[in-house]
Amino acid sequence: AKIVDIINKAETTHSLTKEEIVDLLRCDEYDQQLFLAADRVRSQYVGDQVHLRGLIEFSNICQQNCFYCGLRKENTKVKRYKLTPDTIIDLADKAKSYNYKTVVLQSGESQSYTVADMQYIIRSIKALGLAITLSLGEKSRDEYQFYKEAGADRYLLRIETTNSRIYKELHPGMSFENRLRCLQDLKDLGYELGTGCLVGLPNQTMECLADDILFFKSLDADMIGLGPFIPNADTPLAQERGGTFNTSIKVMAITRLLLPDANIPATTAMETLDKNGRIIALQSGANVVMPNVTEGEYRKMYMLYPGKICVNDTPKHCVSCITGKIQGIGRHISTEFGFRQSKKLTN
Ligand code: SAM
Ligand code: SF4
Ligand code: FES
């Protein structure tokens, strides 16, 4: 089929075959049409509101060794930190004062907070009237359940890649099956579920990326976070080329066409590769931004990859910076919690 026909099919039926997705990813000639179609679907299904989620990077301690990530356990160049529960709650309170309706609590995967600590943090932040997204990595079903009962609303756990061979190569000591188990448990427990992938991993092909997109659809993910893999010099993938901005935006745009009402962030990694990256993403299917609300030196210490944006900026500066950019393209900052629309209707 012709590329324009594939784009039209995706825009009207929100479904594509793997072959059609691969054709779209391989051909760059009609990228502008693809981005415009994704922008229309975004506007039609989730509107012109942009949801801001305040990101709190509360600890960089990690027991895993993901090959791509600067926080991996074997990276001894990172100075490790963990914020106290009350400091985390205080950051959430500040996020509230900037009018953020959601905070995302993200960290390396570790046991450095007890379940009781996390429950205290979650309950206290819920008492502020905020929605909570967790991004803590792989946990037992019980632990996920305790956090849900304490009030957590959403969970982000990227599958990273659906190619089980690549997954295995890049995640020593981890298993693809357990990743899937986690995603299923989170869904069963009633979390709004976020997943996503890295674009441009070693040996990853356009077929792999097409499978990733179809995976998001089959899981019916509520949120999908995508970004380029950016090589970090202090990791085993230091010499790799990494993903490109354009392919990342294309994967995101196709994801929007196939999951029309999902929440899709314009990610920090996109802006790292293009200084207007988040705005381009917002005009190619994205409807969420996650500004950093971590303060001071900790921003620099949560270094997944080089060139991370905003490391020298304050949370206050980031609010006005991103608000201005969003309003500059005629979009509005949402004053709602920004749950997935279809969820609200069905629950
Ligand atoms: N530890 C939790 C986990 O792995 O789900 C949450 C924090 S982890 C740092 C968040 C995301 O960072 C991962 O899902 C991964 O996709 C992304 N990431 C890690 N290293 C990266 C790199 N070099 N380039 C781009 N993204 C990276
Ligand atoms: Fe740890 Fe997450 Fe980084 Fe993997 S991606 S090393 S689990 S922080
Ligand atoms: Fe942080 Fe622009 S969002 S400086």
Side-chain angles (χ1 to χ4, degrees), residues 3-4 7-8 11 24 28-40 253 257:
I3 297 296
V4 282
I7 296 172
N8 284 337
E11 184 170 357
L24 274 185
D28 288 343
E29 205 173 320
Y30 302 93
D31 284 359
Q32 288 315 312
Q33 279 101 310
L34 170 64
F35 301 150
L36 286 170
D39 196 46
R40 285 191 294 271
L257 293 174

Side-chain angles (χ1 to χ4, degrees), residues 18-258:
K18 178 174 175 180
E19 292 67 31
E20 288 167 335
I21 298 173
V22 170
D23 286 348
L24 274 185
L25 290 172
R26 285 229 177 93
C27 172
D28 288 343
E29 205 173 320
Y30 302 93
D31 284 359
Q32 288 315 312
Q33 279 101 310
L34 170 64
F35 301 150
L36 286 170
D39 196 46
R40 285 191 294 271
V41 168
R42 185 273 309 153
S43 162
Q44 188 188 336
Y45 281 82
V46 296
D48 287 340
Q49 314 282 337
V50 175
H51 302 289
L52 299 183
R53 323 288 201 195
L55 176 65
I56 303 176
E57 300 160 329
F58 67 91
S59 170
N60 66 356
I61 300 172
C62 191
Q63 68 201 14
Q64 299 296 5
N65 262 310
C66 308
F67 269 27
Y68 41 81
C69 180
L71 304 189
R72 64 198 306 272
K73 184 181 178 182
E74 282 174 20
N75 182 10
T76 52
K77 290 199 184 161
V78 177
K79 192 173 152 209
R80 306 287 168 167
Y81 71 88
K82 56 176 286 203
L83 304 183
T84 65
D86 289 318
T87 306
I88 299 168
I89 296 159
D90 185 51
L91 287 177
D93 196 35
K94 286 181 182 159
K96 183 183 172 177
S97 75
Y98 302 133
N99 292 322
Y100 295 133
K101 307 293 286 177
T102 296
V103 291
V104 181
L105 302 179
Q106 192 179 77
S107 67
E109 197 178 303
S110 83
Q111 332 279 4
S112 48
Y113 295 80
T114 63
V115 169
D117 286 338
M118 288 309 303
Q119 287 171 318
Y120 167 72
I121 294 165
I122 293 165
R123 285 203 194 97
S124 307
I125 295 177
K126 284 305 281 188
L128 299 171
L130 295 167
I132 299 182
T133 305
L134 299 178
S135 179
L136 320 172
E138 297 182 10
K139 304 284 177 191
S140 68
R141 184 185 174 105
D142 282 351
E143 203 168 333
Y144 288 146
Q145 184 170 353
F146 294 142
Y147 301 156
K148 187 77 186 58
E149 286 165 359
D153 300 281
R154 316 187 184 113
Y155 206 102
L156 302 176
L157 185 73
R158 291 182 176 178
I159 190 72
E160 315 292 1
T161 173
T162 55
N163 183 293
S164 56
R165 206 156 30 99
I166 299 176
Y167 188 92
K168 212 175 161 150
E169 278 167 14
L170 300 181
H171 300 95
M174 295 169 75
S175 90
F176 187 67
E177 289 67 34
N178 195 51
R179 199 80 172 173
L180 293 175
R181 190 274 304 161
C182 288
L183 290 170
Q184 195 56 55
D185 281 346
L186 289 163
K187 201 175 177 80
D188 294 347
L189 290 166
Y191 280 92
E192 276 212 335
L193 182 58
T195 192
C197 67
L198 286 166
V199 175
L201 291 169
N203 301 318
Q204 189 183 46
T205 62
M206 296 301 179
E207 283 79 5
C208 298
L209 290 169
D211 283 334
D212 291 351
I213 296 169
L214 291 172
F215 173 78
F216 308 149
K217 186 159 173 78
S218 68
L219 190 66
D220 192 27
D222 301 301
M223 308 172 279
I224 299 113
L226 310 151
F229 153 56
I230 303 171
N232 182 322
D234 300 323
T235 66
L237 302 185
Q239 304 305 323
E240 298 292 336
R241 295 172 59 182
T244 66
F245 178 72
N246 200 252
T247 304
S248 305
I249 295 279
K250 287 182 73 172
V251 172
M252 191 198 74
I254 299 167
T255 299
R256 167 61 69 200
L257 293 174
L258 297 199

